[in-house]
Structure formats: structure tokens, C-alpha cells
Amino acid sequence: MKKVGIFTRIDKLNNKEILYIPLNIYKKFFKRVNVILIPFSLDTKFNDIMPIVDMCDGILLPGGDDIYPLELEVVKYLYEIDKPLLGICLGMQTMGVSINGCLGHLPDLSHKSNKKYVHEIKISRDSLLYKIINKRSILVNSRHKDYIINTSLFAGATYNNIIEEVEDKSKRCFFGVQWHPEDLEDVNNEKIFDFFINSL
């Protein structure tokens, strides 16, 4: 069975260190691949986790609040060796910033909502995302406070000039989405995880 490494930040709960992974992300991989948690903190060095990254067939970068320098290093490394990578929300932003990108802060909370579906994204016909989903637009959720201003990666989907997906079609599987597909039980978002798993 293939191995997917999921980056998991070390956090504290009731004065104890914990590893947190959203249950819905774990459910997408349950019984399909072996999930390997890759714990890290601000003090973690790339060489500390490199052996774990190397043993995985693909990596998932989940959402979060702030980009850590370690994550930028990992994305560049995975890009160079062409190992499958799927980024979600902050994970996508990390990918964009890693490949000659810049991050901006949204002026309001219009992109941060607990609703299941928040807005519609427009998908480019030239994108990998279009190849995966085969639709020019879909409804997505939205829970982010920052956005990618620019990047050398191809922007395969947008909403009101905000980049909603980044990719590099020259790679086996190198793409990220701004929304949280793990929380949307629909065929469009299932196809995203299917593509990632099939690329391993």
C-alpha cells in the first residue's frame, strides 16, 4: 500500500503536546493508503524530517494559520524531485509562495465562512483541475484570510481575481486548492483526492 505523508504541526492542549489532523482529511485516505504523520514545529529542521518525506510516495500539506519556513523548503524539494504534492488552503498558499510567489492579506473576512458552499470558482480549460473535474465552474467553501498575489505556478481557477488553485502540469501531481475539499462530500472534490492517490 502506498504511503501519504501529512504534515502535522505540534500543538498544545491542556499543557500536553498533541498532533492535530482534521478527521475529514484522514477519512479521504482511510483504507486507501498508509497515512504517515510528519510532526514539525518552528524549530524543526529539514534534515530532521527528510527521511520521513523520502519514504512517502506523496505529501499532503493541510490548512493552517501561518506558513513555516520548513514548509517552503519541503515544497521546493518535492517540486525538484517531482514527488506528488497536494496542498489545501494554507498548503496551496505555501506552494504558491515557494515557487516565486507572494502572499497578501485580505482586507475583510468575506472569504472566511462556516457555510458549506460560499462561492463559485471559474476553472480554466487549460488547467489540470479542469482535466480532473471536467467542469468550468464549481461551488466551494472558503475559510482563508490570506491569498496568493502572484506565483510562477499556473493559476487554474479564480474567484473575483483571487487565485483558487495552483498547479504545474509538467509534474506528476503538483497542485493545491484554496478551499477545503475534505469537507465537501461531492463528486467534484472526491475526484481531487482520487487524482492525487492515483498519481502515487
Side-chain angles (χ1 to χ4, degrees):
M1 194 176 281
K2 298 290 187 177
K3 303 179 184 72
V4 169
I6 300 179
F7 269 67
T8 310
R9 299 181 184 206
I10 299 172
D11 210 337
K12 287 208 169 183
L13 179 66
N14 299 327
N15 294 319
K16 293 182 180 179
E17 287 191 337
I18 62 166
L19 297 180
Y20 169 79
I21 174 176
L23 180 60
N24 284 345
I25 286 181
Y26 181 76
K27 285 180 178 177
K28 296 299 179 187
F29 297 114
F30 183 62
K31 292 186 178 179
R32 300 180 71 186
V33 298
N34 286 325
V35 171
I36 297 175
L37 301 184
I38 305 175
F40 72 101
S41 67
L42 273 171
D43 300 323
T44 306
K45 305 299 182 193
F46 182 58
N47 287 340
D48 297 335
I49 62 163
M50 189 171 177
I52 307 174
V53 170
D54 284 340
M55 74 180 287
C56 295
D57 298 292
I59 299 293
L60 183 132
L61 275 182
D65 290 323
D66 298 295
I67 296 173
Y68 287 16
L70 171 67
E71 294 169 296
L72 298 173
E73 285 187 77
V74 169
V75 170
K76 290 175 183 176
Y77 175 69
L78 297 173
Y79 187 81
E80 288 173 8
I81 66 171
D82 196 11
K83 180 168 285 192
L85 172 63
L86 172 61
I88 294 175
C89 201
L90 181 71
M92 182 213 79
Q93 294 171 3
T94 304
M95 294 170 71
V97 171
S98 297
I99 313 300
N100 305 314
C102 181
L103 202 63
H105 193 71
L106 291 166
D108 55 45
L109 297 177
S110 60
H111 287 261
K112 200 167 179 67
S113 170
N114 289 324
K115 292 181 180 178
K116 183 174 181 180
Y117 293 104
V118 178
H119 60 70
E120 186 178 61
I121 61 168
K122 301 298 182 186
I123 302 172
S124 167
R125 285 192 186 275
D126 296 327
S127 68
L128 173 63
L129 185 63
Y130 178 78
K131 180 181 175 184
I132 294 169
I133 296 177
N134 198 29
K135 290 182 181 177
R136 288 299 312 276
S137 65
I138 60 170
L139 287 168
V140 299
N141 52 29
S142 188
R143 301 201 296 264
H144 61 104
K145 59 182 173 37
D146 297 316
Y147 69 105
I148 296 174
I149 296 175
N150 56 55
T151 178
S152 292
L153 295 174
F154 180 71
T158 59
Y159 166 71
N160 281 358
N161 297 316
I162 298 292
I163 295 173
E164 290 281 335
E165 187 259 6
V166 295
E167 60 183 56
D168 187 326
K169 286 190 291 187
S170 71
K171 303 296 182 180
R172 287 167 56 198
C173 175
F174 191 91
F175 78 106
V177 297
Q178 183 61 79
W179 65 96
H180 286 264
E182 74 276 15
D183 293 332
L184 296 174
E185 297 290 335
D186 60 44
V187 65
N188 299 319
N189 290 282
E190 290 300 324
K191 286 179 178 178
I192 289 172
F193 289 99
D194 289 344
F195 180 84
F196 174 65
I197 291 171
N198 290 334
S199 75
L200 302 176

